[in-house]
Amino acid sequence: MFLGTHTPRLDEKGRLILPAKFRDELAGGVVITKGQERCLYVFPMPEFQRLAGQLREAPVTNKAARAYSRVFFASAHDEVPDKQGRVTIPAHLREYASLGRDLVVIGASTRVEIWDKQSWDDYLSASEEEFADIEEGVLPGGL
């Protein structure tokens, strides 16, 4: 399970050093793809394969499933982190997420998310007030 918030920097070659506490689980390979709210999702290969299987089960006649699958898979980039725990984020994904030099990398249970620092700060300030109000809808019966 991926947890926590980290603040690495993107180097001049578009590489990110993965947080040390995530490296063991990601060492076998990752898939980086577009996420919601203009962030990037980073999946360990087994989790990506599980999600791909779920998407394959959706009927081809389902327009929303086709559209989501197209964007999800077409933007995906697979890579094995190097010995320093670095991965290269392709230009099209850096552009999609408006990544600058300062990043925020968060653990989001079964995936890692990569955000531009300013985008994360904006998202967090806009959503923190709603956080307490949405618990009931997300966790029936609350905590």
Side-chain angles (χ1 to χ4, degrees):
M1 181 180 297
F2 298 105
L3 303 170
T5 303
H6 308 270
T7 53
R9 298 186 108 184
L10 199 62
D11 74 12
E12 62 282 344
K13 295 181 181 178
R15 295 177 302 190
L16 162 71
I17 298 175
L18 295 167
K21 69 184 290 185
F22 296 166
R23 288 184 202 159
D24 285 347
E25 194 165 346
L26 299 175
V30 300
V31 177
I32 306 169
T33 192
K34 292 179 178 179
Q36 269 55 58
E37 291 86 33
R38 293 279 176 174
C39 74
L40 300 179
Y41 289 164
V42 181
F43 295 101
M45 189 58 74
E47 179 63 11
F48 185 82
Q49 290 169 337
R50 186 188 70 75
L51 288 170
Q54 287 181 321
L55 287 169
R56 274 193 302 272
E57 291 174 16
V60 109
T61 54
N62 182 317
K63 185 176 181 176
R66 283 194 319 271
Y68 186 82
S69 289
R70 286 179 183 135
V71 173
F72 189 73
F73 292 113
S75 65
H77 168 76
D78 60 322
E79 185 171 346
V80 175
D82 69 13
K83 291 179 183 178
Q84 287 82 34
R86 294 179 300 193
V87 291
T88 300
I89 301 173
H92 74 279
L93 291 175
R94 292 193 312 262
E95 184 178 316
Y96 167 80
S98 302
L99 298 184
R101 185 158 167 77
D102 296 320
L103 305 178
V104 174
V105 175
I106 65 166
S109 184
T110 60
R111 70 181 181 274
V112 173
E113 293 182 359
I114 301 170
W115 291 77
D116 175 75
K117 185 176 183 333
Q118 187 59 55
S119 296
W120 174 251
D121 290 345
D122 293 346
Y123 173 80
L124 206 53
S125 69
S127 63
E128 278 187 326
E129 289 182 25
E130 300 168 5
F131 179 70
D133 296 335
I134 62 175
E135 177 188 315
E136 187 67 32
V138 175
L139 296 170
L143 290 177

